[in-house]
Each structure stands twice: as structure tokens, then as C-alpha cells.
Amino acid sequence: MLPLRKERVIFMKRNLSIIEVLGFIFIALGFLIPLVTDPKLGTDYAQTAAPFLSTAAFLLLYSANKMQKEELGLQRKELELQREELKQTREVFKEQEYTMDLQRIENTFFNLNSLRLTIIDNINYGSETGLKAMQNVVYSIEYNPTYFESLKGNIIIYVNCIYSILKTLDSSKLKEVDKESLLNTLVLQMTMNELKFINIYLNNTTVDTKSDKRHKINTYFNGYCTELSNEKIIFN
């Protein structure tokens, strides 16, 4: 949520300076002396008070200039506070943007993961379908690697789906910890035969410099397959 901006009202709580007091006294003397004396004597006093009035004007002008500088200092401080508020607001917007991006990637990830399950359900081998058919494909290729060419259709479709998931994560601007969390979610749902599907694909395909599919799959799954499998799975 955006931080609520509190309106600030700056109050100048200050006492009159000695300079201002003297200035007001001189002004008072300059105006009062002619009023309380006879005209002739008042004229003499008025002439005498003229320098005081000039001095008072100078003192008050100096005081006003000083007060203006103080106000400018307060305004600069207010601008600094506003800049800090804008900085915090930008950070909040960045967090909101990242959250929206994370939700978008998560939606894409779970849609592709659902597609992965659909692909597995549609695998056919002999009279078997789904996970059982996948298991039989793995057993057949492990027994006779030459069967790969005739059975690679199911494997390629499955691997392409896995690659789409990895590419979505890799091309996103998510933090590494969030990418790793989604990848862990995927791997923990995978069966041993799915890992073997990936292993068979990597062992029976060559590196294509024009495509990073094989490299990306190998990079992401090398450690996971070794960790989750009780069998030795070799990646090239």
C-alpha cells in the first residue's frame, strides 16, 4: 500500500530578537516624541529622532532578511522530506510491479505444469496410457537404445513442455529465490520416469548451437535428478 502523505504545516515559533525590540523602540520614540511635546520643542526632537528612525528601519530590514533566510531553510527541509517521500513511493511502486510480475509468471508456470500432466496422460505405448505407458517407454529404451528413434515422439513432446517452463522462468525478471522456488515445485511433482525421460533425451540428442533447449534442460536438471534419484542418472 502507498504510504499516506501527511500534510505538514510549518509554524514559526520564535521570540522577538533584541534587534527587533530596539527597532520598534526607535520607531515608537520617533512617532511619540513630537506628539507629547510643544510644536517648537517637538520639531527639535523630531530632527533628533530622524537618525533613530533610520537606524530602526535598518535593524528591522536586517531582521526581516534573517527571518526570510530561516524560512528558506525550512522550505529546503520540506523539499528534502518531499523527495524522500517520492523515493519511498517509487519503492512501493516497484514492489507492486514485482508482485504483479510474480503473479503473472506463476499463472503461466501452473498452466504449463497442468499441460505437462495432460501430455503424460496422453502418452500411449501398446495398450498402456499415461504414467504406465511412460514407464514402458523408459524400460524399452533402456533395454534397447535403438528404440529411441521410434519412441522419441512422446519424449520430445514432453521435453518441449519442460523447456517452455524453464524458458518462462529464465526469461523472467524474478528474483533467483523465486525462480528456484517454482523450479523446486516442478521437480518435487515429477516422477522418476519423467526424470528418466529427460535423461534419455539428453543422452540421445546432440548439442545444437542454434538452440539452447538441450543446454538449458541439462543445466536445470542435472543436480535435481541426481539428488532425487536413487539410481545413477548420467547427464552429458
Side-chain angles (χ1 to χ4, degrees):
M1 295 179 61
L2 290 176
L4 296 178
R5 187 180 187 279
K6 297 180 180 180
E7 296 294 334
R8 300 187 184 87
V9 180
I10 300 176
F11 294 96
M12 293 188 63
K13 187 177 180 180
R14 57 190 295 274
N15 297 322
L16 291 176
S17 65
I18 296 177
I19 294 176
E20 291 172 318
V21 172
L22 289 175
F24 287 124
I25 291 175
F26 288 145
I27 290 176
L29 290 174
F31 283 102
L32 292 177
I33 288 176
L35 296 177
V36 298
T37 59
D38 59 75
K40 183 178 182 305
L41 189 59
T43 301
D44 295 335
Y45 277 118
Q47 293 175 351
T48 304
F52 291 99
L53 292 175
S54 299
T55 302
F58 172 77
L59 293 175
L60 292 176
L61 181 62
Y62 171 80
S63 178
N65 183 59
K66 182 179 179 182
M67 186 171 62
Q68 186 179 28
K69 288 182 179 179
E70 292 176 355
E71 289 178 350
L72 289 175
L74 291 174
Q75 289 177 359
R76 282 195 295 269
K77 186 175 181 180
E78 175 70 10
L79 287 174
E80 290 175 0
L81 292 174
Q82 289 178 353
R83 281 196 292 267
E84 183 63 25
E85 274 189 357
L86 289 174
K87 181 179 178 181
Q88 293 176 0
T89 301
R90 284 194 295 269
E91 291 299 323
V92 171
F93 278 130
K94 286 182 180 179
E95 291 178 3
Q96 290 179 341
E97 183 180 2
Y98 181 81
T99 300
M100 293 176 62
D101 194 36
L102 176 60
Q103 291 175 346
R104 180 179 60 81
I105 296 299
E106 285 179 340
N107 288 336
T108 303
F109 170 83
F110 287 114
N111 287 335
L112 289 172
N113 193 42
S114 178
L115 176 61
R116 175 183 68 87
L117 298 177
T118 301
I119 290 173
I120 293 174
D121 290 338
N122 290 331
I123 293 176
N124 293 287
Y125 187 66
S127 60
E128 303 293 346
T129 60
L131 289 173
K132 185 64 177 177
M134 175 180 276
Q135 183 182 51
N136 290 341
V137 169
V138 170
Y139 286 166
S140 296
I141 296 176
E142 286 181 342
Y143 176 76
N144 188 347
T146 60
Y147 287 166
F148 173 76
E149 287 300 322
S150 61
L151 298 174
K152 68 179 181 180
N154 289 322
I155 296 175
I156 296 299
I157 293 174
Y158 174 82
V159 169
N160 285 342
C161 180
I162 295 297
Y163 173 66
S164 296
I165 295 175
L166 299 181
K167 188 175 181 181
T168 298
L169 295 178
D170 203 43
S171 62
S172 71
K173 296 180 180 179
L174 298 185
K175 299 175 182 177
E176 290 302 320
V177 63
D178 291 325
K179 290 182 180 180
E180 186 175 349
S181 176
L182 290 173
L183 182 59
N184 286 337
T185 300
L186 170 65
V187 174
L188 290 174
Q189 293 180 12
M190 295 172 66
T191 65
M192 181 59 60
N193 287 316
E194 289 181 76
L195 298 178
K196 288 185 176 182
F197 250 43
I198 295 174
N199 185 49
I200 290 171
Y201 166 78
L202 293 174
N203 288 336
N204 289 274
T205 55
T206 57
V207 177
D208 184 358
T209 56
K210 296 181 180 180
S211 173
D212 69 337
K213 179 169 67 174
R214 188 180 187 281
H215 172 72
K216 192 180 296 295
I217 291 175
N218 183 45
T219 300
Y220 272 88
F221 280 94
N222 188 12
Y224 282 104
C225 291
T226 303
E227 180 180 348
L228 295 176
S229 175
N230 292 323
E231 301 179 19
K232 185 177 180 182
I233 298 179
I234 301 174
F235 287 87
N236 296 326

